[in-house]
């Protein structure tokens, strides 16, 4: 995969604020530490590199030969960097934060536009790759040589374009363009299109035609997104109900879609997965949360959901958990999960990993990989969070979560559950819910086999 765009150096000065400045009505921040990390296309490249089953990521971007540029290179050590010439000093964004909130941002450096672009080297960097264009308005997508290379890439393969109001318009033939609603309205105005902010779906359809793209995904924050593909239009709800930091959510959508296309998934599948990924990204603290984890992916533990669980409990709410393989999601699962969610205020699904399913069900299972199973579960309004575990049973994950209610389906008895004693040990209760008669993954697979 190749990521093309504008890179910035993000600096987060973290501290505490307990008083106001005596000579001005502004907070005083006592600095604890400063964290630096790549932003813009650099952040997008790091996101892509941390997504399962994504080939090696290559970053194509202007990089300055200064101290900040050297810092960027060191922070991108796991990424193959193909540097373009860079005008001016490295663009730097310094955020002053206290208590997890940004109080002020200071920008310097630039203009960061490309220079001395070698078309042959650019073509080699993009050859055979799914290309993600991460535009931050610094000029990379307006450079004639870069645009020519991206036009060629769009003709020969898949280009995902994450636009910016100050950037160049998407080249013809992009696989997917991913503006947020504000960017879409800005683009429509520039193109002379009628644009109604209350009808984002029609806006997505109009932009797809104007840009001659195969698909356009217009994201609308916590409401999800609208996908226009060909003449088809589809709303994709986020399912998210938790507040969080949206910084970088658009990058997460574009990175997820590019990763899906690299795995030969359809645009519709990619969009559904991307909306779920972005919801989880926001809930886990956005870009600041990603940087706070050392740019590592959220582990298959409860770390990414701990604050959501804590807030629920602080408000006197009830945390419910259930678990299983959920290999082929069907109506019985949907009814069961809805009933489980009604037992409390937050539902966490503990999901068996692929290796765990194989050990339990045999070498032919799972039919769907864990990324697909997780995406489908997270798309359900009844599911607040999904945690993947690798053991044969969920006792370790349960001990970390300690739900108030542990739910299993009607084909179990409490006495047969190995996890029941530990749930009772912290004062939790175990509930057995009836299953929808005649619905099971095994019966569905048997019918498919008989039909074949």
């Amino acid at each position: 995969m190749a990521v093309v765009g504008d890179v910035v150096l993000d600096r987060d000065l973290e501290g505490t604020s307990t008083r106001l400045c005596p000579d001005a009505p502004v907070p005083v921040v006592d600095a604890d530490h400063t964290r630096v990390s790549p932003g813009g296309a650099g952040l997008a490249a790091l996101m892509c590199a941390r997504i399962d089953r994504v080939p090696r990521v290559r970053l194509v971007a202007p990089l300055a030969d200064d101290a900040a540029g050297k810092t960027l290179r060191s922070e991108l050590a796991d990424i193959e960097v193909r540097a373009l010439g860079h005008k001016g000093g490295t663009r730097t964004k310094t955020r002053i934060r206290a208590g997890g909130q940004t109080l002020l941002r200071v920008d310097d450096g630039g203009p960061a536009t490309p220079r001395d672009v070698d078309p042959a080297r650019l073509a080699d960097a993009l050859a055979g790759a799914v290309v993600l264009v991460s535009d931050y308005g610094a000029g990379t997508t307006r450079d004639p040589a870069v645009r020519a290379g991206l036009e060629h890439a769009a003709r020969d393969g898949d280009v995902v374009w994450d636009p910016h109001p100050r950037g160049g318009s998407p080249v013809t033939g992009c696989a997917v363009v991913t503006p947020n609603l504000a960017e879409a309205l800005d683009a429509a105005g520039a193109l002379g299109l009628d644009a109604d902010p209350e009808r984002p779906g029609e806006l997505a359809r109009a932009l797809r035609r104007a840009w001659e793209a195969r698909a356009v995904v217009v994201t609308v924050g916590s409401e999800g997104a609208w996908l226009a593909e060909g003449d088809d239009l589809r709303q994709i709800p986020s399912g998210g109900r938790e507040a969080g930091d949206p910084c970088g959510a658009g990058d997460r959508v574009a990175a997820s879609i590019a990763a899906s296309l690299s795995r030969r998934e359809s645009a519709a599948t990619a969009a559904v997965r991307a909306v779920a990924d972005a919801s989880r990204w926001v809930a886990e603290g956005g870009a600041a949360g990603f940087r706070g984890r050392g740019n590592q992916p959220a582990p298959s533990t409860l770390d990414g959901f701990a604050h959501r669980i804590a807030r629920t409990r602080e408000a006197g709410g009830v945390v419910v958990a259930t678990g299983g393989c959920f290999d082929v999601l069907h109506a019985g699962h949907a009814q069961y999960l809805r009933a489980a969610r009604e037992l409390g205020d937050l539902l966490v699904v503990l999901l068996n990993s692929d290796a765990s399913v194989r050990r339990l069900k045999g070498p032919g299972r799972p039919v769907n990989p864990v990324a697909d199973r997780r995406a489908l579960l997270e798309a359900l309004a009844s599911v607040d969070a999904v945690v993947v575990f690798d053991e044969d049973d969920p006792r370790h994950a349960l001990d970390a979560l300690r739900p108030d209610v542990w739910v299993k389906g009607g084909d179990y008895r409490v006495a047969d559950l190995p996890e029941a004693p530990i749930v009772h040990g912290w004062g939790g209760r175990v509930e057995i819910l009836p299953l929808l008669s005649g619905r099971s993954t095994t019966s569905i697979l048997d019918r498919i086999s008989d039909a074949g």
Side-chain angles (χ1 to χ4, degrees), residues 16-388:
T16 57
S17 180
T18 58
R19 65 193 190 280
L20 294 177
C21 180
D23 54 0
V26 295
V28 175
V29 177
D30 295 310
D32 295 327
H33 64 276
T34 299
R35 182 184 297 117
V36 298
S37 64
L43 174 61
L46 287 173
M47 287 180 188
C48 292
R50 304 307 193 263
I51 298 175
D52 290 340
R53 295 183 292 143
V54 169
R56 182 168 175 78
V57 176
R58 181 181 304 136
L59 174 63
V60 183
L63 283 176
D65 188 17
D66 57 12
K70 290 180 174 63
T71 299
L72 276 172
R73 283 178 169 85
S74 68
E75 293 291 324
L76 292 164
D78 295 338
I79 306 293
E80 180 188 350
V81 176
R82 300 283 187 95
L84 304 176
H86 184 290
K87 293 182 181 179
T90 297
R91 296 171 74 210
T92 302
K93 297 182 179 181
T94 302
R95 297 173 181 85
I96 300 173
R97 294 168 55 85
Q101 299 294 320
T102 298
L103 304 181
L104 178 69
R105 193 182 93 183
V106 179
D107 293 2
D108 65 284
T113 51
R115 68 178 184 185
D116 305 325
V117 177
D118 183 331
R121 291 186 61 197
L122 178 62
D124 178 68
L126 302 183
V130 171
V131 177
L132 168 58
V133 178
S134 181
D135 191 353
Y136 269 74
T140 299
T141 59
R142 291 187 178 277
D143 182 85
V146 173
R147 289 192 68 82
L150 293 172
E151 287 167 356
H152 188 274
R155 286 195 300 270
D156 291 351
D158 291 331
V159 172
V160 178
W161 195 291
D162 189 16
H164 190 280
R166 295 194 303 272
S169 60
V171 299
T172 299
C174 285
V176 186
V177 186
T178 63
N180 61 33
L181 181 56
E183 292 163 345
L185 290 168
D186 184 87
L191 292 165
L193 303 175
D194 291 332
D196 182 351
E198 300 300 321
R199 302 181 66 188
E202 292 304 319
L203 180 58
R205 180 178 280 163
L207 287 173
R208 190 205 66 77
R209 293 181 182 132
W211 284 330
E212 299 181 54
R214 282 180 267 162
V216 167
V217 174
V218 174
T219 56
V220 285
S222 61
E223 296 177 15
W226 286 85
L227 167 67
E229 184 179 16
D231 292 328
D232 296 332
L233 187 61
R234 175 179 179 181
Q235 184 179 15
I236 304 170
S238 71
R241 291 181 294 277
E242 299 292 336
D245 187 346
C247 181
D251 299 280
R252 191 66 184 88
V253 167
S256 182
I257 288 175
S260 292
L261 295 186
S262 75
R263 296 190 295 261
R264 305 299 181 190
E265 295 175 350
S266 69
T269 298
V272 170
R273 190 190 305 281
V275 169
D277 287 346
S279 294
R280 187 164 62 250
W281 169 270
V282 170
E284 290 171 359
F290 184 78
R291 291 191 291 267
R293 295 192 297 271
N295 297 337
Q296 295 299 313
S300 295
T301 66
L302 302 173
D303 292 349
F305 311 115
H307 67 292
R308 303 172 68 185
I309 294 165
R311 285 204 304 270
T312 299
R313 287 182 166 140
E314 288 168 2
V318 174
V319 176
V320 182
T322 188
C325 302
F326 297 97
D327 192 4
V328 178
L329 204 61
H330 53 71
H333 288 143
Q335 176 177 291
Y336 169 78
L337 292 169
R338 187 165 54 249
R341 179 63 171 77
E342 290 173 354
L343 294 174
D345 302 283
L346 183 145
L347 174 64
V348 180
V349 176
L350 305 183
L351 181 65
N352 294 74
S353 70
D354 290 346
S356 176
V357 175
R358 280 192 292 273
R359 290 193 300 269
L360 294 172
K361 304 289 187 178
R365 301 279 295 276
V367 174
N368 294 306
V370 69
D372 290 6
R373 293 184 283 125
R374 180 175 188 163
L376 287 170
L377 286 168
E378 289 176 332
L380 297 177
S382 56
V383 176
D384 295 278
V386 178
V387 174
V388 178

